[in-house]
Amino acid sequence: MQKKYRLKNGRVFRYLRLKGQSNANKMLVLVHAPSKFPLKVGFIVSKKVDNRAVVRNKVRRRLREAFRAMIPYLKDNVNYIVIAREVCGEANFEELTNNLAHLIIKSDLFARKIDDDVVERLKLKQSVLEKAKFD
């Protein structure tokens, strides 16, 4: 994911945690809030996921890649935080992407329909995508 999309400032993380809206499922928590600046995203993978940094970084890389592919289809001017839960340590890429897409749909943050090639590359389930509403 490009650096221009990364959320780095601790104050912004704290603001989003306090003021943002959150949605959760068994694997992830998605916190989002409108912003006057372009889209930014941050990822939190704590030691609860796994004590080993290798596993935490693997989860973070997978989440970044899944989110990166969805960026063109998301609403702009929104900041996001994706928080990984304990079960993410054993999850594969397909499970993570489907859970992330589920949360984005649940939050009604897709601006347009995802292209078929992206759906195929991310291995998104049609049952998850059927619930999406687009502007």
Side-chain angles (χ1 to χ4, degrees):
M1 186 165 53
Q2 295 175 354
K3 284 188 179 183
K4 68 180 181 179
Y5 295 121
R6 291 193 186 159
L7 222 161
K8 300 174 196 165
N9 193 336
R11 284 191 294 167
V12 178
F13 269 93
R14 200 171 21 246
Y15 174 80
L16 281 171
R17 292 294 303 265
L18 293 173
K19 303 287 184 182
Q21 297 176 355
S22 69
N23 285 307
N25 59 23
K26 65 179 182 168
M27 280 195 187
L28 302 168
V29 177
L30 178 69
V31 182
H32 59 92
S35 171
K36 55 186 173 183
F37 301 107
L39 178 146
K40 298 249 185 214
V41 63
F43 298 92
I44 299 173
V45 183
S46 71
K47 284 190 176 182
K48 289 180 184 178
V49 172
D50 199 299
N51 236 357
R52 298 168 295 176
V54 172
V55 176
R56 293 194 308 271
N57 290 332
K58 187 176 189 179
V59 170
R60 194 175 294 114
R61 279 194 312 271
R62 286 176 172 177
L63 287 171
R64 267 195 204 128
E65 176 56 26
F67 201 91
R68 183 197 63 76
M70 293 181 200
I71 285 175
Y73 309 101
L74 294 173
K75 292 180 180 176
D76 204 20
N77 299 335
V78 178
N79 287 340
Y80 303 89
I81 297 177
V82 179
I83 304 167
R85 290 191 166 170
E86 292 88 7
V87 294
C88 286
E90 296 103 33
N92 61 23
F93 182 69
E94 185 177 337
E95 291 170 333
L96 287 172
T97 55
N98 280 300
N99 279 287
L100 182 60
H102 171 258
L103 286 178
I104 292 171
I105 290 168
K106 192 174 177 183
S107 303
D108 194 29
L109 295 169
F110 275 123
R112 62 188 185 97
K113 189 176 184 302
I114 299 177
D115 294 336
D116 292 335
D117 59 326
V118 175
V119 170
E120 189 177 312
R121 188 166 38 108
L122 294 178
K123 298 179 179 139
L124 294 173
K125 294 179 182 172
Q126 287 300 323
S127 61
V128 172
L129 296 174
E130 288 172 355
K131 299 171 187 165
K133 298 175 200 152
F134 306 105
D135 291 344

